[in-house]
């Protein structure tokens, strides 16, 4: 590289969807596939991705379902996100690294907006205030029937279950919320059928990513 060339900004890919749809599984698989073709990737997650944001994560994903007012929850998720964006996501993208992020703003809209019933315009306005036009380059929304997805979560990390323990209608609203987001932003969001085995979903995601990101690069 000559001194006048700057490294190309990394791509920001987010994984969204309800509990147990396979986000954390697939984020690792996509990173391995991309690394294998020479793309530097950083895997991160929300809430989390910096020390402070991981501290906030524990407040959100553990403990009693009723421990937060929905508005407090909205603010805690976004407090963690401000830290994560400033200290992890933006520096990696600026250094040319692709950032693969397990949940981002769409989860807040789906869970705190559609799920808990906070005004979705207010959630969108808060996001605009904090992040302006900053958006993922690609968002993969993993979609699966709520009961099938929740059944998958039974075998995992037993402490981070606060959202899983919310009721069925909450999860139904979250699922519909994600589908509404995808419909409103088709250039950014792709709904991925998350049924079938892990390898099948992995192939779908790799194909979508290759196709989409070829178009915008
Ligand atoms: N396609 C699949 N078929 C069967 N099991 C799967 C599949 N994908 C993931 N799993 C398993 O289901 C469980 C949930 O997957 P994972 O943790 O990736 O979901 P998640 O979307 O990250 O959930 P959460 O939102 O709760 O973090 C894990 O035990 C994982 O191994
Ligand atoms: Mg996960």
């Amino acid at each position: 590289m000559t001194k006048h060339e700057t490294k190309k900004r990394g791509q920001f890919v987010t994984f969204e969807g309800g509990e147990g749809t396979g986000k954390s599984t697939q984020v690792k698989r996509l990173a391995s596939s991309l690394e294998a073709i020479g793309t530097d990737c950083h895997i991160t997650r929300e809430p989390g991705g910096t020390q402070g944001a991981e501290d906030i994560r524990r407040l959100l994903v553990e403990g009693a379902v009723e421990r937060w007012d929905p508005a407090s929850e909205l603010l805690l998720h976004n407090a963690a996100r401000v830290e994560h964006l400033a200290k992890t996501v933006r520096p990696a993208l600026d250094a040319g690294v692709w950032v693969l992020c397990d949940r981002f703003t769409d989860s807040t809209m789906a869970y705190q907006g559609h799920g808990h019933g906070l005004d979705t315009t207010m959630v969108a306005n808060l996001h605009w205030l904090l992040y302006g036009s900053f958006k993922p380059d690609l968002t993969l929304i993993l979609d699966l029937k709520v009961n099938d997805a929740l059944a998958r979560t039974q075998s995992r990390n037993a402490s981070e279950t606060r959202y899983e323990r919310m009721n069925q209608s909450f999860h139904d609203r979250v699922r519909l919320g994600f589908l509404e987001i995808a419909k409103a932003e088709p250039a950014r969001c792709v709904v991925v059928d998350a049924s079938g085995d892990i390898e099948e979903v992995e192939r779908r995601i790799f194909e979508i990513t290759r196709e989409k990101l070829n178009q915008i690069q």
Side-chain angles (χ1 to χ4, degrees):
M1 222 185 311
T2 72
K3 67 179 183 178
H4 298 297
E5 282 176 301
T6 48
K7 201 164 181 193
K8 204 163 161 189
R9 183 183 169 275
Q11 297 290 313
F12 184 36
V13 181
T14 56
F15 285 68
E16 297 282 8
E19 309 297 305
T21 51
K23 299 174 297 298
S24 306
T25 304
Q26 295 297 339
V27 80
K28 291 188 214 129
R29 295 205 168 215
L30 181 63
S32 305
S33 306
L34 290 172
E35 295 272 2
I37 56 171
T39 305
D40 279 348
C41 293
H42 178 75
I43 295 179
T44 187
R45 68 175 182 183
E46 290 207 344
T50 70
Q51 199 179 332
E54 289 288 333
D55 290 341
I56 296 172
R57 178 185 180 90
R58 282 189 287 281
L59 299 175
L60 286 161
V61 301
E62 298 177 6
V65 164
E66 306 298 339
R67 77 186 285 193
W68 300 113
D69 183 278
S72 309
E73 226 177 271
L74 170 71
L75 295 170
L76 284 167
H77 276 286
N78 279 294
R81 180 167 301 128
V82 167
E83 291 294 305
H84 184 220
L85 264 187
K87 295 176 181 165
T88 302
V89 177
R90 287 187 195 271
L93 294 174
D94 290 345
V97 174
W98 285 38
V99 175
L100 307 191
C101 188
D102 187 342
R103 296 192 182 279
F104 193 58
T105 43
D106 299 320
S107 280
T108 311
M109 179 59 84
Y111 280 68
Q112 281 68 46
H114 297 271
H116 286 325
L118 288 179
D119 181 79
T120 52
T121 304
M122 187 267 287
V123 175
N125 286 345
L126 178 65
H127 288 168
W128 177 257
L129 185 76
L130 295 172
Y131 316 117
S133 60
F134 181 88
K135 291 256 182 179
D137 297 292
L138 170 65
T139 297
L140 299 153
I141 297 183
L142 275 62
D143 183 58
L144 186 63
K145 274 200 272 186
V146 168
N147 286 337
D148 294 352
L150 288 176
R152 285 181 182 174
T153 64
Q154 301 309 312
S155 59
R156 293 176 322 172
N157 185 345
S159 62
E160 297 195 338
T161 59
R162 181 167 168 265
Y163 285 104
E164 272 162 54
R165 285 183 271 117
M166 292 182 186
N167 62 37
Q168 166 90 32
S169 59
F170 173 84
H171 293 289
D172 289 338
R173 290 193 298 276
V174 166
R175 184 182 184 200
L176 291 176
F178 278 122
L179 295 176
E180 197 173 311
I181 291 165
K183 210 166 160 189
E185 289 188 70
R188 171 173 72 86
C189 302
V190 181
V191 177
V192 181
D193 174 3
S195 66
D197 65 28
I198 292 177
E199 289 70 29
E200 221 175 308
V201 181
E202 178 186 351
R203 279 193 295 275
R204 282 180 203 134
I205 287 177
F206 186 65
E207 281 312 310
I208 292 165
T209 306
R210 202 164 52 175
E211 196 179 308
K212 267 278 186 193
L213 297 177
N214 274 343
Q215 289 167 10
I216 58 177
Q217 284 205 82

Coordinates of all heavy atoms in Angstrom, one line a residue, residues 49 85-86 183 191:
G49 N -19.3 -6.8 24.5 CA -18.3 -6.4 23.5 C -17.3 -5.4 24.0 O -16.3 -5.1 23.3
L85 N -19.9 0.5 20.4 CA -19.6 1.1 19.1 C -18.3 2.0 19.2 O -17.5 1.9 18.3 CB -20.8 2.1 18.8 CG -21.9 1.5 17.9 CD1 -22.8 2.7 17.5 CD2 -21.3 0.9 16.6
A86 N -18.2 2.7 20.3 CA -17.0 3.6 20.3 C -15.7 2.9 20.5 O -14.7 3.2 19.9 CB -17.2 4.6 21.5
K183 N -39.0 -6.1 6.5 CA -39.8 -5.6 5.4 C -39.6 -4.2 5.1 O -39.6 -3.7 4.0 CB -41.3 -5.9 5.8 CG -42.2 -6.1 4.7 CD -43.5 -6.6 5.2 CE -44.6 -6.4 4.2 NZ -45.9 -6.7 4.7
V191 N -34.1 -12.0 5.6 CA -34.6 -13.0 6.5 C -34.1 -14.4 6.1 O -34.2 -14.8 5.0 CB -36.2 -13.0 6.5 CG1 -36.7 -14.1 7.4 CG2 -36.7 -11.7 6.9

